[in-house]
């Protein structure tokens, strides 16, 4: 292989590490529970039976009941589906927005780059929780407000990483040769930018999803997030906190669910740090 061929050939992608395999396995278990529990044991997470308040597990509710006699298994699965759906959509939208603007800033440079950097720095100056709360006050639909607010919080990391990496890659001889040969931005992005960007952006996506889930739970814990009776992990902890002596496991279930989800996402990000 010639020196020029070696220069133009992207480095071989590294396979997942054992830590990432462990994170993926835990995440699959959480996803399997969230989406599989309603299929295996259908139950309405809103249905109350006050006679079963804080009752232990039975055939209809393998994880027991909360203080209002609602199935903890059904509510926990519904809460996980809600949080993970909002986080997933927000990360996806933030990734598309941040990557697109980052490549645009690096490609165009000059005033476009300065304007986008100023916009990102201005948004970064606002605390993430405040941003989500502001959007929540404007948009009446809480899950939609969370999605929009989290997107506006998370896109900045995608933008900054993409801009810095793309600016370096666009100055490489291989990219210059492709542009001189008439290849368009789509080809340059797929052939020269994406192979280097993808591993780093996957790390950002994993951390972004973890951040989103923690923000949703934190707002629910202070009773300004998803409104009752819709199940949400932070809200479930607040509702069950007064009964921790009578049913400690009922309180620990949403805590364990958050812990496992965050742990899985952080393990997936290991080994892919920029």
């Amino acid at each position: 292989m010639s020196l020029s061929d070696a220069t133009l050939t992207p480095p071989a992608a590294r396979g997942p590490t054992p830590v990432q395999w462990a994170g993926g396995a835990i995440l699959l278990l959480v996803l399997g529970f969230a989406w599989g529990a309603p299929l295996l044991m259908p139950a309405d997470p809103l249905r109350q039976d006050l006679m079963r308040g804080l009752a232990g597990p039975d055939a209809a509710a393998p994880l027991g009941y909360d203080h209002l006699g609602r199935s903890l298994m059904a509510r926990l699965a519904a809460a996980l589906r809600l949080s993970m759906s909002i986080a997933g959509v927000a990360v996806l939208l933030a990734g598309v927005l941040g990557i697109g603007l980052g490549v645009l800033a690096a490609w165009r440079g000059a005033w476009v780059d300065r304007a986008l950097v100023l916009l990102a720095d201005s948004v970064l100056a606002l605390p993430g929780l405040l941003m989500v709360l502001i959007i929540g006050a404007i948009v009446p639909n809480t899950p939609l407000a969370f999605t929009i607010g989290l997107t506006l919080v998370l896109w900045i990391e995608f933008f900054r990483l993409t801009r810095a990496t793309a600016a370096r890659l666009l100055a490489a001889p291989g990219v210059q040769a492709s542009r001189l040969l008439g290849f368009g931005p789509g080809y340059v992005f797929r052939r020269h930018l994406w192979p280097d960007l993808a591993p780093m952006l996957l790390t950002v996506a994993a951390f972004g999803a973890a951040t989103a889930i923690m923000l949703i739970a934190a707002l629910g814990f202070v009773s300004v997030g998803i409104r009752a009776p819709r199940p949400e992990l932070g809200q479930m902890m607040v509702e069950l906190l007064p009964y921790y002596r009578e049913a400690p496991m009922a309180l620990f279930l949403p805590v364990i669910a958050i812990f496992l989800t965050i742990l899985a996402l952080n393990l997936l990000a290991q080994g892919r740090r920029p």
Side-chain angles (χ1 to χ4, degrees), residues 15-97:
T17 65
V19 172
Q20 290 172 321
W21 280 114
I26 297 172
L27 187 60
L28 282 177
L29 287 175
V30 175
L31 291 171
F33 172 79
W35 271 270
L39 300 177
L40 296 175
M41 304 192 67
D44 184 358
L46 302 182
R47 183 178 180 275
Q48 299 182 14
D49 184 355
L50 297 180
M51 297 297 293
R52 296 181 179 272
L54 299 179
D58 59 20
L63 297 181
Y65 297 85
D66 69 359
H67 59 297
L68 296 177
R70 298 172 295 192
S71 169
L72 282 170
M73 181 175 178
R75 290 185 64 78
L76 189 63
L80 279 169
R81 290 196 303 274
L82 177 65
S83 295
M84 298 183 82
S85 297
I86 293 174
V89 174
V91 168
L92 179 62
L93 294 176
V96 172
L97 180 63

Side-chain angles (χ1 to χ4, degrees), residues 7 111 130 148 228:
T7 302
W111 67 269
L130 179 60
I148 296 173

Side-chain angles (χ1 to χ4, degrees), residues 15 18 62-63 71 80 84 164 182 188-189 200 227 241 255 266:
L63 297 181
S71 169
L80 279 169
M84 298 183 82
V188 172
F189 178 80
M200 295 181 287
R227 297 290 185 266
L241 189 59
V255 176
N266 279 279

Side-chain angles (χ1 to χ4, degrees), residues 148-211:
I148 296 173
L150 289 169
T151 299
L152 295 177
V153 170
L154 299 174
W155 75 273
I156 299 172
E157 289 303 319
F158 287 96
F159 167 78
R160 297 173 71 180
L161 180 59
T162 301
R163 172 181 170 270
T165 306
R168 172 177 56 83
L169 296 174
L170 288 172
V175 176
Q176 299 298 325
S178 294
R179 296 173 70 176
L180 288 174
L181 289 171
F183 291 107
Y187 174 86
V188 172
F189 178 80
R190 292 192 308 271
R191 177 66 177 80
H192 298 283
L193 302 186
W194 184 247
D196 276 43
L197 285 171
M200 295 181 287
L201 293 178
L202 286 174
T203 298
V204 176
F207 283 127
T211 300

